Amino acid sequence: MPSISIPNNTLLVLSGPPGCGKSTFALSHFEETAVVSSDRCRLLVSDDETNISASKEAFKLFRSLIEYRLALGRLTVADSTALTRRARSELLAIGRKYKFHVALLIFNTPEPVCLECNAGRQRQVPRKVIGAMSRQLGRTLQTAEEEGFNQVLTLSWEDLQDPDFKVDIRSFEVTYPGPFDLIGDLHGCYDELIMLLGKLGYLRRFGRFFHPAGRRIVFLGDLTDRGPHSLKCFWLVKAMVDAGSALYVPGNHCRKLARFLEGRNIKVAHGLEKTVAEIKELPEDERRHLKENFLSLYRQAPPYLVLDNGKLVVSHGGITEEMIGKVTERVKNFCFFGDTTGEVTDEGLPVRRDWAGDYSGDALVVYGHTPVPEAVFVNNTIDIDQGCVLGGKLTALRYPEMAVVQVPALAAYYERAGFNSEAVETGEDRSKYEEQPYHSI
């Protein structure tokens, strides 16, 4: 089914020539109050939406209405042609000002179709204007990916005619009551993940894991990097999410891999080099397939999840009580990196504040990101990253039972200053897990 997916804190910028189907699309898929139309603003200020001489005042109103909605945290659709870089950059700046996810939706409708649709409208735009704007559309398609939008989407005329086309608006609030099995940072530890799923009672059917009692896994991000099987971890998680047997929030390593796959100029280090090496071993068509699927999973994931009607909150790096229910750039960064000070230790690690020590919220916050030797409850929070990739343990927290389930690492795949994995060497016997396969039906 053709569809687009955007988070609920989105400024959606529509872009396309007159007659391309923008306004009809907007009113078909969004509440009328969510759509801010430049034509409607021209009508409001001058009683005539064709009054081009009123455009200056109309666009002041257009931008002001968008700002008012974003200030109140409301999803907003900006309906104008937005075919010049300047027009798009102005809207992008407004979205960034309010820390919104800014998505550009380009209507790639052929010029003859625009002309035909325009001829059937009561208010017709001159043919030469549509021709000029169709040429601008071509330039927009070439440059939009480089303009800084969080998301660039393109719709064809065929997409618009599909009666099954839908817009998925994602929320970070999920009403599932559970039960859940929350699993900390994987970092490519695929064998340990298989062991843990077996210990938790998950079965495998047609290559996908599920629990016979209907439990769901919640993955806390950082699926890849540092460990030996990053791509296998990703594909397992993607299959479970697609099947509805798992939920996922992204981690900072997920963010970095996404940026690498998008072609951004980033430093390939801190374990990403291992994932990149795996990717380079793939044939070109498989690399393309991986890129599409990873970016799809990452872009559709919320920065955190509110589960069990607000009783449980899941984030990769943590979240404070006052942040729950909000999605701003500060909140997203906190979810990725925790409460960092901007300083680094002598070992080159970021200095983090002890946000959990000050937490007093009613919701249980489960997080990872910072490896600690044991999973311990602190002020209704728990860090379930026990450094599996560093030679520690892979941890699951069973909810609502509050039981910690772990398997030991089969090896220390990556060295990191400040983490001691000696306890693993003298701890639980690993061999029983190596000899015990998961159940398959």
Side-chain angles (χ1 to χ4, degrees):
M1 180 187 297
S3 65
I4 61 171
S5 179
I6 55 174
N8 60 356
N9 64 314
T10 293
L11 170 59
L12 183 62
V13 178
L14 308 187
S15 176
C20 69
K22 286 187 291 82
S23 298
T24 301
F25 171 87
L27 294 175
S28 298
H29 294 281
F30 298 93
E31 295 290 338
E32 183 180 0
T33 52
V35 181
V36 181
S37 163
S38 59
D39 286 344
R40 175 70 176 167
C41 289
R42 196 178 286 110
L43 176 66
L44 288 172
V45 299
S46 72
D47 299 322
D48 181 2
E49 68 178 39
T50 67
N51 184 3
I52 301 303
S53 66
S55 291
K56 182 178 179 180
E57 291 76 12
F59 273 94
K60 284 182 181 178
L61 177 61
F62 175 71
R63 290 187 287 269
S64 294
L65 288 174
I66 291 170
E67 288 213 42
Y68 291 145
R69 287 189 59 83
L70 300 194
L72 294 173
R74 308 304 297 173
L75 182 147
T76 302
V77 179
D79 180 12
S80 66
T81 56
L83 286 169
T84 66
R85 189 159 189 157
R86 178 179 176 180
R88 293 190 295 274
S89 66
E90 287 176 348
L91 293 170
L92 178 60
I94 293 172
R96 285 178 170 171
K97 176 181 176 181
Y98 292 93
K99 310 302 183 185
F100 261 55
H101 177 96
V102 190
L104 178 67
L105 180 57
I106 305 171
F107 290 73
N108 189 17
T109 304
E111 183 178 343
V113 175
C114 292
L115 290 169
E116 183 180 347
C117 292
N118 180 64
R121 299 198 310 183
Q122 184 176 358
R123 179 184 65 86
Q124 295 185 13
V125 177
R127 292 176 63 92
K128 64 178 182 180
V129 172
I130 293 178
M133 288 192 172
S134 293
R135 290 189 290 276
Q136 288 179 322
L137 171 64
R139 291 192 288 271
T140 300
L141 290 166
Q142 292 176 346
T143 64
E145 290 283 356
E146 307 166 357
E147 295 178 16
F149 287 93
N150 298 103
Q151 200 176 1
V152 177
L153 304 161
T154 303
L155 290 185
S156 68
W157 182 248
E158 289 72 25
D159 292 331
L160 295 177
Q161 304 312 302
D162 193 322
D164 293 326
F165 185 92
K166 71 170 192 172
V167 176
D168 176 33
I169 301 173
R170 306 189 310 275
S171 171
F172 51 81
E173 294 191 20
V174 182
T175 56
Y176 302 140
F180 301 107
D181 296 310
L182 303 101
I183 296 182
D185 305 39
L186 299 181
H187 281 300
C189 296
Y190 178 81
D191 294 330
E192 289 83 352
L193 175 57
I194 294 296
M195 288 156 43
L196 184 56
L197 289 172
K199 193 171 183 179
L200 292 168
Y202 283 76
L203 308 177
R204 198 173 204 176
R205 176 187 290 167
F206 305 123
R208 296 182 178 184
F209 286 89
F210 75 100
H211 198 281
R215 302 182 70 93
R216 281 187 177 88
I217 294 288
V218 183
F219 290 104
L220 269 64
D222 280 8
L223 312 179
T224 64
D225 299 352
R226 299 180 175 172
H229 302 299
S230 288
L231 301 191
K232 289 172 77 173
C233 280
F234 159 69
W235 284 117
L236 187 153
V237 171
K238 179 72 163 58
M240 290 189 71
V241 171
D242 289 348
S245 56
L247 302 170
Y248 158 78
V249 293
N252 58 302
H253 282 261
C254 303
R255 176 178 180 263
K256 193 170 185 182
L257 178 57
R259 293 186 169 197
F260 170 80
L261 293 171
E262 289 168 344
R264 302 197 194 189
N265 184 22
I266 62 167
K267 185 177 181 180
V268 179
H270 305 296
L272 177 60
E273 66 277 7
K274 290 193 173 186
T275 306
V276 170
E278 284 192 61
I279 293 172
K280 288 183 176 178
E281 290 292 320
L282 299 175
E284 185 177 350
D285 60 333
E286 291 185 26
R287 287 200 299 270
R288 231 176 5 251
H289 185 58
L290 171 74
K291 174 182 175 180
E292 291 171 0
N293 279 271
F294 185 87
L295 290 179
S296 173
L297 178 70
Y298 173 78
R299 289 169 176 170
Q300 292 182 34
Y304 61 94
L305 285 167
V306 179
L307 303 169
D308 195 10
N309 296 306
K311 297 175 186 175
L312 172 65
V313 178
V314 181
S315 165
H316 174 69
I319 191 167
T320 64
E321 182 181 4
E322 64 271 14
M323 289 179 176
I324 297 171
K326 302 174 183 176
V327 182
T328 65
E329 202 63 28
R330 179 171 175 263
V331 171
K332 288 191 283 188
N333 284 333
F334 198 107
C335 291
F336 279 127
F337 302 106
D339 193 5
T340 57
T341 66
E343 302 172 319
V344 294
T345 66
D346 294 339
E347 293 81 19
L349 301 174
V351 176
R352 297 183 179 90
R353 300 180 187 90
D354 181 19
W355 66 270
D358 297 324
Y359 181 77
S360 59
D362 293 330
L364 170 67
V365 175
V366 183
Y367 67 104
H369 181 58
T370 305
V372 293
E374 300 297 336
V376 178
F377 286 94
V378 177
N379 293 339
N380 212 19
T381 76
I382 185 169
D383 180 349
I384 60 169
D385 179 5
Q386 276 61 69
C388 184
V389 76
L390 307 174
K393 291 167 281 191
L394 187 63
T395 298
L397 176 70
R398 309 208 88 169
Y399 178 93
E401 300 87 344
M402 305 300 181
V404 173
V405 181
Q406 297 175 315
V407 296
L410 299 177
Y413 305 106
Y414 192 83
E415 292 185 5
R416 172 173 167 174
F419 188 85
N420 183 0
S421 63
E422 281 185 12
V424 178
E425 299 300 329
T426 58
E428 193 174 1
D429 180 15
R430 305 175 190 179
S431 62
K432 63 181 179 181
Y433 295 107
E434 296 171 24
E435 296 166 0
Q436 175 183 308
Y438 56 82
H439 300 285
S440 181
I441 63 172

